[in-house]
Amino acid sequence: MESMFILLQAEASEQSSWMSMLPLFLILIVFYFFFIRPQTKKSKEQKKFRESLQKGQKVITIGGIHGKISEINDTTVVLDISGGQLKITVEKSAIVQNTADINQAR
């Protein structure tokens, strides 16, 4: 009788250890689907956008400067920001958005 009680007690402690770990696993799953996965998806989209930049495309930089791409290099882009009078060189990583995307959203 005592041996049966010991076996039942051991089995109950095994289940309780799994049950105590369950909330941790659920938190990790929620954290992955709500924070990690969307961030990686967004960074992949940004990388794809930056690789597809073309001359003549209107874009916006991180600092909010609107311009038209006049030249594309490996890591930099030359933006025309005042109708051919003023050109600036910015990193490709500083370009955030295409102005056509903004016009479609409105």
Side-chain angles (χ1 to χ4, degrees):
M1 188 75 171
E2 254 182 65
S3 63
M4 187 176 195
F5 181 71
I6 293 171
L7 287 174
L8 289 174
Q9 196 175 25
E11 193 175 304
S13 69
E14 236 178 76
Q15 287 177 351
S16 68
S17 67
W18 281 107
M19 293 302 282
S20 67
M21 294 294 283
L22 186 63
L24 178 63
F25 289 130
L26 291 175
I27 289 170
L28 290 174
I29 289 170
V30 167
F31 190 80
Y32 174 76
F33 280 106
F34 284 104
F35 295 105
I36 298 171
R37 189 168 177 241
Q39 186 63 34
T40 56
K41 185 178 178 182
K42 186 177 179 180
S43 67
K44 283 181 184 178
E45 288 173 358
Q46 281 289 334
K47 183 178 179 183
K48 185 178 176 183
F49 167 71
R50 288 179 181 132
E51 289 173 353
S52 68
L53 291 174
Q54 298 174 354
K55 189 175 180 179
Q57 188 176 9
K58 293 182 179 181
V59 293
I60 302 173
T61 65
I62 290 174
I65 299 172
H66 293 243
K68 187 176 178 181
I69 298 175
S70 63
E71 185 181 329
I72 300 175
N73 300 320
D74 290 336
T75 59
T76 60
V77 173
V78 177
L79 293 180
D80 177 15
I81 57 173
S82 67
Q85 296 175 348
L86 183 61
K87 293 185 179 187
I88 60 171
T89 304
V90 296
E91 291 288 323
K92 278 186 179 179
S93 60
I95 296 177
V96 208
Q97 204 170 9
N98 186 353
T99 56
D101 295 340
I102 294 171
N103 294 334
Q104 288 175 357
R106 289 181 186 174

